[in-house]
Amino acid sequence: MSNAKEIIESGRAVMGLEFGSTRIKAVLIDETHTPIASGDHEWENRLENGIWTYSLEDIWEGLRDSYRKLAADVEAKYDTTLKKIGAIGFSAMMHGYMAFDKEENLLVPFRTWRNGITGPASEALTELFQYNIPQRWSISHLYQAILNEEDHVKDIAYITTLAGYIHWQLTGQKVLGVGDASGMFPINPDTKDYDEVMVEKFDTLVQDKGFPWTLKEILPKVLVAGEVAGILTKEGAKLLDETGVLEPGVPICPPEGDAGTGMAATNSVKRRTGNVSAGTSVFAMVVLERELKKIYPEIDLVTTPDGNLVGMVHANNCTSDLNAWVGLFQEFAESFGMEVDKNQLFGVLYNKAMEGDADCGGLLSYGYLSGENITGVENGRPLFVRSPESSFNLANFMRVHLFTALGALKVGMDILLKEEKVEIDEILGHGGLFKTKGVGQSILAAAIHTPVSVMETAGEGGPWGMALLASYMLNKEKGETLADYLSEKVFAGNKGSRMEPKPEDEEGFEVFARRYVKGVGIEKAAAELLV
C-alpha cells in the first residue's frame, strides 16, 4: 500500500477510463499494471424521437463522476490526493455518429451504435466499396443523413466517436486510435490509415451535393498504439476534475473503442489469436493474417489498436434467456422455502449441463430477446422446442441453452474457420458465460474447434485495457511492439487456464448446429405469429 501511495504521489500511476453502454469506469494502475484504485458511474441510453442517444450532459456528468469517485478511492485507500498522473487513455463504445460545426456545436443528438436506422446507406456503401459496411459504422450514419437530405450535413466541420469527442475536448486534438477509427471507415492495414481508394469513391459519390468539405477533412486523424496523441490541457483538466487539483500536461494516448481495449485486456493482439466476450451479447475478435476472399455481412473487419486486421463476429443475443431460466429455477426453489445462493445455482445448473448428451439430446432453443442479423431474424422470440423422441431431462435442457447462447456466433465463426480457412492458435474467453469454471470454456472450445483460455485478469475489462494502452505509450522501449509489451510485461507468466476441445463435444455441437440453422424458420414464424 505504501508503494502504491508513493507511485501515486510521484505521478507514475496510469489511468484508463471507458464509457460502456451502462457504466463509465475509471481505473488507476501501478507500474506492475495492477489496478490500485477505481471509480464508476452508471448511466443508460434513452430513446428520443426514434434515436438511441446519450445527452452531452449525461456524458460530462458521467466522466466527472467516475473521476470524482476514483479520486475519492485514492483518498480513502492511501490518504493522499490525486494530483499527478503519468498517462491517461480514454475509450468508449465504438461506431455511432457525433457531428459538429466549426463552432464546435453538436449538430444533431449523438446517434449511438445501437441505432438500426442506416439500412439503405449500409447496403449502398457495401456495394460501392465491395467491403462490409455495417449499419453501426459512422460512415453509414453520415451517408444515411445525406440520403435523408438532413439539413445539418452542409454544416459539418468534424465527425467523431464518443471516445474521440472526449479526447478532443480534453486535449484539443482531433485524433482517433486506429481500432476505433476502423469502426468509422475502412482502414488499409498496410498504411494503417483510412483506405484512400474508398475515401475517393465516397467523395465522388457525394460530389454533386456540393458540400463544402471532403471526407478526409471531417474525419479524425488516425494514430496507432504507442503514439502520443496530445496532452491534458488546463481547460481539459478542469473538465475532468472539477476541484482543479489535477495537474495538466499529462500525456494522453490515442482514444480507442471498446473492442480494442478488450483485445488489450485479454492479450489478443497478435495474429492467429482472438478473444470472445460472452455476456448479454457475444462477439469474437480474431486477428487475421490476410484479407478475407469475400464480403460477408456476418463479419465486420476492424483492427487491433496497433493496426492489424481483425475479423469481428457480433451476435446480439447470448445469456439473457439462459439467465431467465436460471431465475425460474431460483423461484421454484424459493417456493419450497429454500434459500438459494444465485452464484451457487448457476454453478450447479451449468455443471449439470456437462452430464447431458453431446448433442443436447435432440432439444432446440433460441435465446433471441432481440433480432439476430447473423441468422436473418428481424425480431426475437425466446423459444424452446423438442420432438417426442428428444431426450428431455435437466442436463440436456441446460446444455441446449448453453449451446444456443453461442449458436449465432458459431454461424459466423464457421465462415472464418471453414470457408476462409482462418487459423487460430488460441482464443481468450471473458464475460459472464465463463464465470463457472470449465463449463462455458469447454462449450466454446467445442463450438469453434479451438483451444480456449480464461485468465484471472479477464474480469478487469475495458478500462484496464485502456490503462494498458496508456502504459504502453508511456513505458515502451524503442522498437517494442504492443504484442511484445503485453506478452512480456503485462501477462508474463499468466497463461490462464487452457482447455482443448473434446472430440465428442465438437461432434455434438456440429449436430446441434445443423439443427439450429435448420430450425431458424421456427423462430421466424414465432416472431410473426406471437405479437
Side-chain angles (χ1 to χ4, degrees):
M1 188 173 286
S2 59
N3 185 44
K5 181 176 181 176
E6 191 268 325
I7 288 170
I8 291 167
E9 290 180 340
S10 64
R12 304 200 313 273
V14 170
M15 186 182 90
L17 188 148
E18 181 161 288
F19 287 77
S21 56
T22 59
R23 187 178 67 155
I24 303 166
K25 185 175 182 182
V27 171
L28 201 67
I29 64 172
D30 65 14
E31 290 168 312
T32 67
H33 309 99
T34 302
I36 53 177
S38 66
D40 65 358
H41 171 88
E42 291 187 3
W43 71 334
E44 191 60 65
N45 56 183
R46 60 191 79 177
L47 188 63
E48 292 182 352
N49 302 314
I51 302 290
W52 288 106
T53 188
Y54 302 89
S55 71
L56 291 182
E57 291 76 18
D58 292 338
I59 291 168
W60 288 108
E61 171 52 29
L63 177 75
R64 293 182 187 117
D65 189 46
S66 53
Y67 181 82
R68 189 185 305 130
K69 289 173 179 170
L70 171 74
D73 194 33
V74 167
E75 191 91 43
K77 283 180 176 171
Y78 309 109
D79 191 29
T80 192
T81 303
L82 186 58
K83 295 179 182 177
K84 294 187 286 186
I85 299 177
I88 297 175
F90 297 101
S91 55
M93 302 163 280
M94 288 177 68
H95 318 299
Y97 183 72
M98 297 189 83
F100 300 87
D101 65 17
K102 60 180 185 296
E103 277 83 39
E104 300 188 8
N105 299 308
L106 185 66
L107 291 167
V108 290
F110 172 30
R111 297 170 183 177
T112 77
W113 64 272
R114 193 176 179 186
N115 290 287
I117 55 174
T118 65
S122 169
E123 288 179 25
L125 293 175
T126 296
E127 179 63 28
L128 177 69
F129 297 153
Q130 287 299 292
Y131 194 97
N132 184 31
I133 307 294
Q135 288 201 47
R136 302 187 298 276
W137 284 28
S138 306
I139 193 63
S140 293
H141 282 279
L142 174 62
Y143 189 49
Q144 191 63 51
I146 294 170
L147 293 178
N148 295 346
E149 298 183 343
E150 295 184 38
D151 190 54
H152 80 271
V153 177
K154 69 181 187 311
D155 298 320
I156 292 174
Y158 185 48
I159 65 170
T160 189
T161 63
L162 178 54
Y165 168 64
I166 295 296
H167 183 94
W168 170 38
Q169 294 300 301
L170 298 189
T171 66
Q173 301 298 311
K174 295 179 177 178
V175 301
L176 207 57
V178 64
D180 205 10
S182 72
M184 292 191 79
F185 193 88
I187 296 291
N188 180 335
D190 294 328
T191 63
K192 304 193 190 308
D193 200 352
Y194 303 115
D195 188 290
E196 286 286 355
V197 175
M198 296 185 203
V199 167
E200 194 174 312
K201 283 183 177 181
F202 184 86
D203 283 336
T204 302
L205 177 67
V206 302
Q207 195 169 18
D208 63 329
K209 305 291 183 185
F211 297 128
W213 48 260
T214 61
L215 187 60
K216 269 305 255 303
E217 288 172 349
I218 62 171
L219 286 173
K221 180 184 177 183
V222 180
L223 299 176
V224 297
E227 294 189 76
V228 177
I231 61 167
L232 185 66
T233 62
K234 285 183 180 179
E235 298 79 10
K238 288 176 184 173
L239 283 171
L240 183 58
D241 177 19
E242 296 167 296
T243 68
V245 170
L246 179 62
E247 296 177 8
V250 183
I252 302 185
C253 70
E256 262 303 343
D258 50 355
T261 60
M263 286 185 265
T266 55
N267 192 24
S268 306
V269 300
K270 284 183 182 174
R271 291 187 174 98
R272 297 172 64 110
T273 68
N275 73 90
V276 169
S277 174
T280 305
S281 64
V282 58
F283 60 88
M285 311 289 295
V286 178
V287 188
L288 304 174
E289 295 180 280
R290 56 169 175 79
E291 295 267 5
L292 301 182
K293 295 192 287 284
K294 287 170 56 180
I295 303 168
Y296 303 96
E298 301 89 348
I299 299 169
D300 294 9
L301 291 173
V302 292
T303 77
T304 62
D306 55 348
N308 288 322
L309 193 65
V310 174
M312 178 180 184
V313 180
H314 183 280
N316 294 336
N317 302 279
C318 186
T319 60
S320 294
D321 189 48
L322 175 60
N323 294 346
W325 281 109
V326 174
L328 191 73
F329 286 120
Q330 182 177 27
E331 188 179 340
F332 169 80
E334 289 171 350
S335 298
F336 279 89
M338 294 182 280
E339 278 192 35
V340 181
D341 176 77
K342 196 75 174 273
N343 289 329
Q344 185 183 5
L345 182 61
F346 268 100
V348 168
L349 290 173
Y350 272 40
N351 280 298
K352 190 71 181 175
M354 306 310 286
E355 301 171 16
D357 298 323
D359 73 337
C360 310
L363 306 183
L364 179 62
S365 76
Y366 296 92
Y368 291 4
L369 265 75
S370 64
E372 194 57 76
N373 65 300
I374 288 179
T375 50
V377 175
E378 288 188 15
N379 297 294
R381 296 293 183 273
L383 185 70
F384 170 71
V385 63
R386 64 189 176 99
S387 73
E389 291 80 29
S390 301
S391 177
F392 184 41
N393 55 41
L394 182 59
N396 282 335
F397 184 81
M398 289 308 303
R399 191 174 180 88
V400 77
H401 281 91
L402 281 161
F403 271 36
T404 201
L406 300 173
L409 180 81
K410 178 170 173 59
V411 173
M413 288 296 290
D414 277 355
I415 292 171
L416 288 177
L417 296 168
K418 296 178 181 179
E419 295 186 34
E420 288 285 336
K421 309 296 184 192
V422 169
E423 295 188 12
I424 311 171
D425 294 332
E426 186 178 48
I427 286 283
L428 272 292
H430 55 114
L433 188 70
F434 304 104
K435 283 185 178 175
T436 299
K437 191 172 182 180
V439 178
Q441 188 177 357
S442 67
I443 290 172
L444 176 61
I448 61 174
H449 310 288
T450 304
V452 174
S453 294
V454 175
M455 292 187 190
E456 296 293 328
T457 51
E460 301 291 353
W464 183 62
M466 194 65 237
L468 297 182
L469 292 173
S471 179
Y472 170 62
M473 174 197 71
L474 186 67
N475 299 311
K476 71 181 188 304
E477 295 172 25
K478 189 174 180 180
E480 187 175 28
T481 66
L482 176 61
D484 287 343
Y485 184 84
L486 292 173
S487 294
E488 294 165 18
K489 294 183 176 173
V490 180
F491 295 95
N494 179 11
K495 301 295 183 186
S497 61
R498 179 180 166 110
M499 192 169 279
E500 301 282 339
K502 297 176 183 174
E504 62 272 23
D505 286 342
E506 290 180 284
E507 193 177 320
F509 209 115
E510 289 299 323
V511 174
F512 164 77
R514 290 193 288 272
R515 187 186 313 133
Y516 178 91
V517 171
K518 192 175 180 181
V520 166
I522 307 169
E523 174 67 24
K524 289 180 177 177
E528 187 179 324
L529 299 172
L530 184 63
V531 294

